[in-house]
Amino acid sequence: MSVNSFGRLLRFTTWGESHGPALGAVVDGCPPGLEIDEGKLQPFLDARRPGQSKFTTQRQEPDQVRILSGVFEGKTTGTPISLMIENVDQRSKDYSEVAKAYRPGHADYAYDAKYGFRDYRGGGRSSARETAARVAAGGVARLVIPEVSILAYVTEIGGDAIDRASFDASEIANNPFFCPDAQAAARWATQMEAVRKSGSSVGAVVECIATGLPAGWGAPLYGKLDADLAAAMMGINAVKGVEIGDGFAAARLSGEQNADPMYPGATGPRFDANHAGGIAGGISTGQPVVVRVAFKPTSSILTPQPTITRDGDATELFTKGRHDPCVGIRGAPVVEAMMALVLADHKLLHRGQCG
Ligand SMILES: Cc1cc2nc3c(=O)[nH]c(=O)nc-3n(C[C@H](O)[C@H](O)[C@H](O)COP(=O)(O)O)c2cc1C
């Protein structure tokens, strides 16, 4: 049973572990003739790369992506594109305790329960190092959907949300939190400094907006665009919730409040609101696609937690090593990548069926 692949026509498979020599992705189904080189993918990996501020893990990984196949004379050939990223900064000895006992909240116990054997070094396959491969694959997907712009940013850390009235997209690159509100970013710096020093962790909410896609991508019922987006986002490590458009808040609105009134526009309908998050009946409406993703707090923390050993004995564990005090921060580029991969797949599916 393969559980390492995602997508239908644009299908990618990721491989590799945190402390193995390398990890990567194979992207299959990419149309031929698209201009591509490592330089087109690297900026997305650079955005996700660890060790760029004191608020993320201090593991130093250059995350240089190499294209091994599927490209000739600077263009995709239509054959599988293999992408590889080397692991260069592992400290496996930090995980000697995790080899013997399970981190509460992490995947250690569940992996052992399922496979009876696990690569505990850095979390092995359950490590979010794997998301580097998705981000590289997402860079390929973006080439398939040049008409679409995708932007993800953090709207909330540790329960402290941005002020929507202060939203400024140009701020996102100005702080280490992908935060569109300068004042919130300043508050988060203070908050995260305390969290980091105490060895604790906090959760975060990432919002992602895709603009420029036409009406018509997606499919009814079993191929719904929103269902595929939810699956893609829930597949990211540490994600515990996904909302499309108003999400759970829609359940508290009346039909009048939740309507997205339509009027004739110059090039198609003009909508007065976007409670639906750009998707109706599983199909894009041409409005921006809006997804919100909830990341739980990092489970590797310095506070000792009750747990059990592999032999089932009671013990306490605190996690040494270099960890992200808030995984949602570096989750933003991963969310963008998954949005790109789903939209590119649906563009090809739409073209396949409807021309
Ligand atoms: C970008 C990113 C970085 C992460 N870094 C860490 C980390 O440093 N330490 C940790 O314990 N978990 C980290 N995680 C979360 C774990 O990978 C995740 O909790 C674990 O695989 C268990 O899966 P689940 O939380 O989806 O159930 C990170 C997640 C993401 C998306």
Side-chain angles (χ1 to χ4, degrees):
M1 185 179 69
S2 167
V3 288
N4 294 293
S5 305
F6 191 84
R8 294 183 179 88
L9 287 190
L10 188 80
R11 186 164 175 80
F12 72 98
T13 302
T14 70
W15 53 268
E17 287 85 24
S18 180
H19 288 203
L23 43 76
V26 177
V27 184
D28 204 359
C30 182
L34 303 179
E35 285 185 16
I36 184 172
D37 59 23
E38 276 98 351
K40 285 209 160 77
L41 310 180
Q42 195 58 47
F44 305 116
L45 284 137
D46 290 345
R48 194 216 70 100
R49 198 159 58 81
Q52 299 193 82
S53 86
K54 60 183 175 179
F55 306 116
T56 60
T57 169
Q58 292 307 297
R59 184 169 169 171
Q60 296 296 327
E61 291 286 354
D63 281 353
Q64 289 292 325
V65 63
R66 278 181 63 200
I67 301 174
L68 303 183
S69 68
V71 174
F72 182 61
E73 294 182 341
K75 288 189 178 152
T76 57
T77 58
T79 60
I81 301 170
S82 194
L83 306 164
M84 186 180 80
I85 300 144
E86 284 182 54
N87 294 319
V88 301
D89 184 22
Q90 304 101 320
R91 278 194 212 154
S92 299
K93 68 174 170 21
D94 286 348
Y95 290 85
S96 53
E97 298 301 318
V98 175
K100 294 180 236 150
Y102 304 120
R103 282 170 292 179
H106 211 287
D108 306 327
Y109 169 70
Y111 267 55
D112 252 1
K114 182 173 178 65
Y115 300 109
F117 183 63
R118 101 193 116 97
D119 178 355
Y120 54 80
R121 303 165 307 158
R125 180 73 178 157
S126 73
S127 163
R129 281 288 300 145
E130 186 270 349
T131 59
R134 298 173 190 230
V135 169
V140 176
R142 285 171 198 255
L143 302 176
V144 180
I145 47 168
E147 65 274 57
V148 179
S149 301
I150 300 174
L151 186 65
Y153 41 86
V154 179
T155 60
E156 192 174 320
I157 285 186
D160 182 9
I162 60 163
D163 176 1
R164 295 273 168 181
S166 305
F167 189 102
D168 179 356
S170 66
E171 277 299 324
I172 295 169
N174 286 345
N175 60 75
F177 305 109
F178 298 100
C179 177
D181 168 359
Q183 285 186 349
R187 291 196 308 274
W188 293 351
T190 309
Q191 183 198 19
M192 286 306 303
E193 183 66 9
V195 168
R196 192 179 65 84
K197 283 193 174 143
S198 69
S200 185
S201 64
V202 286
V205 177
V206 173
E207 186 169 272
C208 186
I209 301 194
T211 48
L213 66 158
W217 293 4
L221 304 179
Y222 302 110
K224 288 174 86 173
L225 181 57
D226 34 2
D228 283 358
L229 282 170
M233 300 306 169
M234 285 301 290
I236 301 172
N237 315 45
V239 170
K240 283 296 183 189
V242 180
E243 292 186 321
I244 311 285
D246 281 6
F248 274 65
R252 291 169 224 129
L253 300 179
S254 66
E256 292 79 6
Q257 291 167 324
N258 189 54
D260 293 330
M262 295 171 73
Y263 303 94
T267 56
R270 179 174 64 76
F271 294 85
D272 243 12
N274 189 14
H275 298 286
I279 303 171
I283 299 170
S284 63
T285 61
Q287 290 229 77
V289 170
V290 184
V291 179
R292 259 181 313 285
V293 182
F295 285 86
K296 73 184 190 185
T298 322
S299 40
S300 301
I301 47 175
L302 283 175
T303 320
Q305 296 292 307
T307 187
I308 57 168
T309 66
R310 288 200 73 192
D311 297 327
D313 298 324
T315 187
E316 279 202 332
L317 185 70
F318 69 92
T319 315
K320 287 180 273 191
R322 299 163 294 175
H323 294 277
D324 284 281
C326 175
V327 302
I329 299 171
R330 291 201 302 127
V334 187
V335 168
E336 278 193 6
M338 294 311 287
M339 174 75 96
L341 284 154
V342 171
L343 293 184
D345 191 29
H346 273 280
K347 175 179 176 176
L348 298 182
L349 285 162
H350 178 63
R351 203 165 69 179
Q353 185 183 19
C354 301

